[in-house]
Amino acid sequence: MTAQKPEEFIYKGKRYQGLYAEPLDQYLQTQNIEFQPIASNCWRGYSGLWVISDNKLFLTHFSGAIRIYQIEKNEFSPELCYETKSISLNHLFPNQQNVFAEWFSGEIRLIQRVKLTSEDYCDTVYKKEIHLTFEKGILVKKEILKNKCSFLPRWLRFW
């Protein structure tokens, strides 16, 4: 199974990856849009760049691919082909550049560096996780969790 491309976030001037964070999903549930997977590492069919500024969550960049079905004679059949169309932020939010995510309430977990602790890449450990809780797009709680595991190379741990 291919690891999925995470959403990206800028928080306090640093770029982070979102861990299981898809804040746009709550908005998309109210829309009638069917995304086309972009690649094996992006089955959701889109990616976004988010900025947390003045304790508010903004979507500042978006790229995705949607399906446009070719329907003839008012009949729909799964056998009918469809086109794939690339879309940008302007498609979802016309004439907006920084979209305040007022629809989003929930937690976003941010990570910056991944440390693989075994040679078979089974154990992924994060040095630090930042848990941010939002209510209607406004940051209401922040928690930083630091991992107490040793991140020294194995050969240094024995000295």
Side-chain angles (χ1 to χ4, degrees):
M1 180 159 76
T2 305
Q4 295 298 293
K5 178 181 178 181
E7 294 283 89
E8 293 191 11
F9 297 82
I10 296 177
Y11 179 60
K12 293 189 175 184
K14 293 184 181 179
R15 188 176 286 250
Y16 295 90
Q17 294 179 339
L19 190 61
Y20 313 115
E22 296 177 9
L24 191 60
D25 188 56
Q26 290 179 14
Y27 173 79
L28 292 175
Q29 290 176 13
T30 66
Q31 306 300 306
N32 188 23
I33 301 173
E34 184 177 352
F35 285 93
Q36 169 69 29
I38 298 171
S40 64
N41 73 340
C42 192
W43 283 100
R44 70 180 174 279
Y46 66 85
S47 64
L49 176 63
W50 301 82
V51 173
I52 300 157
S53 177
D54 295 326
N55 291 326
K56 293 181 181 177
L57 180 63
F58 295 91
L59 177 61
T60 61
H61 184 268
F62 175 87
S63 63
I66 60 172
R67 290 181 181 179
I68 301 174
Y69 288 95
Q70 304 301 313
I71 301 174
E72 298 175 6
K73 300 178 188 175
N74 293 327
E75 295 177 15
F76 178 77
S77 167
E79 290 80 32
L80 292 175
C81 65
Y82 58 86
E83 292 180 27
T84 300
K85 177 182 175 185
S86 295
I87 62 170
S88 65
L89 186 63
N90 194 50
H91 182 87
L92 294 177
F93 303 97
N95 302 317
Q96 295 184 52
Q97 292 179 351
N98 297 313
V99 180
F100 174 53
E102 63 186 343
W103 64 84
F104 179 72
S105 293
E107 184 179 73
I108 295 175
R109 293 168 33 191
L110 304 178
I111 56 166
Q112 194 168 28
R113 282 183 53 187
V114 176
K115 178 67 177 179
L116 301 173
T117 60
S118 65
E119 293 181 20
D120 61 3
Y121 297 100
C122 288
D123 298 327
T124 304
V125 178
Y126 307 104
K127 282 189 172 186
K128 174 174 74 171
E129 284 185 30
I130 302 172
H131 293 211
L132 304 175
T133 304
F134 292 86
E135 288 183 18
K136 296 183 180 180
I138 298 174
L139 180 63
V140 295
K141 182 181 174 188
K142 176 180 101 170
E143 184 178 9
I144 298 175
L145 302 174
K146 293 186 179 181
N147 193 331
K148 297 184 190 229
C149 292
S150 174
F151 287 91
L152 294 173
R154 287 184 185 181
W155 62 273
L156 278 176
R157 290 184 207 164
F158 298 107
W159 287 44

